[in-house]
Amino acid sequence: MNKLIIVVLLGLASAQLQSVQTLNVTQYLGNWYEVASSPWVHLTFEKDAYCTRATYGVQSDGNLSVLNMERYGSPSGEIKEITGYAYIPNPEQPGQLKVHLDGAPFEYADYWIVQLGPVVNEQYQWAIVSEPSKFFMWVLARDPVEYNLLYKTQVQNTVTNTLQFDGRFNQYVARPWTGCVPYGDSQ
């Protein structure tokens, strides 16, 4: 059993993950909708989550504010949210952020922006986010419908073939947005 675990972990870490080398933080701010993620995400802290959204802003100290929201149990379920902040510890690696979520069982977690989509209306249109071990992966989009029409095939191919998120627990799994009840803000 221990050999199997080692083989699985080596397989997950086989492709060295790189973060983006340039990041315009202003173009990253705003609402992001989770359109895909890895099974590890679904099995852990987003278990039974639907319609997951992240909102990033700028705090007075220069850090990024984080507000993560989800519907629990169904697309119209109870709203759950968690707040926190993120920062860039090394300006020479702007895509490698650290995130702190209030009430989470960890002080900081890695938040690596691995790839960014095109900029439209001064905002990146999609982002692939992970962490160095590649256990957790998210694909975020500004608009889930537009993403599915314009970018899904390209991004899924990048996640699976280029970035090699292709294992049982770190593969691209689409997150449906059909039937999601709005959060009551400008969503």
Side-chain angles (χ1 to χ4, degrees):
M1 180 67 170
N2 288 340
K3 289 180 184 177
L4 176 61
I5 291 171
I6 291 170
V7 169
V8 169
L9 293 176
L10 288 174
L12 288 173
S14 63
Q16 183 68 23
L17 195 62
Q18 300 292 318
S19 62
V20 295
Q21 294 301 302
T22 57
L23 173 67
N24 181 325
V25 172
T26 302
Q27 293 174 337
Y28 200 79
L29 302 177
N31 290 334
W32 287 98
Y33 302 90
E34 182 181 317
V35 293
S37 51
S38 63
W40 277 119
V41 173
H42 312 171
L43 294 170
T44 56
F45 48 88
E46 286 186 19
K47 188 175 172 104
D48 296 322
Y50 291 79
C51 312
T52 306
R53 184 183 84 182
T55 303
Y56 303 112
V58 178
Q59 299 181 154
S60 60
D61 63 3
N63 289 333
L64 300 179
S65 62
V66 176
L67 169 61
N68 291 340
M69 300 176 79
E70 65 183 38
R71 294 273 181 187
Y72 183 73
S74 75
S76 61
E78 171 190 357
I79 296 173
K80 290 189 169 189
E81 63 181 52
I82 190 167
T83 59
Y85 63 90
Y87 69 97
I88 300 170
N90 180 357
E92 293 182 18
Q93 296 290 331
Q96 296 181 13
L97 289 80
K98 293 284 188 184
V99 66
H100 168 84
L101 297 173
D102 301 329
F106 51 83
E107 183 68 23
Y108 292 99
D110 290 313
Y111 181 103
W112 283 20
I113 303 169
V114 179
Q115 284 205 10
L116 290 164
V119 174
V120 176
N121 297 323
E122 298 299 318
Q123 292 187 319
Y124 296 111
Q125 293 303 293
W126 56 262
I128 302 169
V129 177
S130 188
E131 38 71 44
S133 69
K134 294 175 62 175
F135 286 120
F136 299 99
M137 181 276 300
W138 297 265
V139 176
L140 307 175
R142 296 297 184 172
D143 180 324
V145 173
E146 186 175 279
Y147 169 83
N148 284 330
L149 291 172
L150 300 177
Y151 307 117
K152 180 180 179 180
T153 302
Q154 170 200 350
V155 174
Q156 186 172 7
N157 182 54
T158 297
V159 167
T160 304
N161 298 319
T162 306
L163 299 174
Q164 297 180 327
F165 284 91
D166 56 4
R168 181 173 182 197
F169 293 107
N170 76 336
Q171 61 184 293
Y172 181 108
V173 177
R175 302 292 286 198
W177 274 86
T178 305
C180 289
V181 173
Y183 285 107
D185 56 13
S186 60
Q187 196 167 10

